[in-house]
Amino acid sequence: MTTQTPAVNWDVLLEHARAALSHAYVPYSKYPVGAAALTDDGRIISGCNVENASYGLTLCAECALVSSLHMTGGGLLAAFVCVDGAGEILMPCGRCRQLLYEFRAPGMQLMTVSGIRTMDEVLPDAFGPQHLEGQ
Ligand code: THU
């Protein structure tokens, strides 16, 4: 299978991630997060975190982003970035790396605090759908 990964314009993705910050609902942590991704068919999607009085129910920005992936046509994630309230690059939390892993396009890239990394680099030896095949 040949995969045509769309060219990644990181500046545009960063713009979308920073724009998403203004929608965050963070009365408890006061820590807004904005996330943006390029899909394998060239769409740009984004998401923000939404907290809850029952703290553990907080939805990370990546949750909204994955929901948006499905709401806008599905597909896979080719490139991803998230930012903190100052607009600086943020590493996705461990849970969200797992969330993103499920929908990674082959070779998915993430802009991280240590540069561009692949999904496999930020979540090595991941558990995923492949483990459940044939069950
Ligand atoms: N948060 C995210 O939205 N994504 C991450 O990858 C890290 C953490 C949010 C959850 C919570 O609303 C706030 O950041 C502080 O933990």
Side-chain angles (χ1 to χ4, degrees), residues 26 29 31 33 49 51 58-62 82 90-93 96:
V26 288
S29 74
Y31 193 91
V33 177
N49 51 341
E51 299 187 341
T58 287
L59 302 175
C60 282
E62 292 87 338
C82 66
L90 184 69
M91 280 308 286
C93 72
C96 287

Side-chain angles (χ1 to χ4, degrees), residues 76-108:
L76 296 171
L77 304 169
F80 170 90
V81 65
C82 66
V83 295
D84 65 16
E88 300 297 329
I89 308 288
L90 184 69
M91 280 308 286
C93 72
R95 174 181 182 270
C96 287
R97 293 182 206 189
Q98 182 73 40
L99 195 65
L100 297 171
Y101 180 83
E102 181 90 11
F103 302 107
R104 76 204 179 286
M108 177 186 171

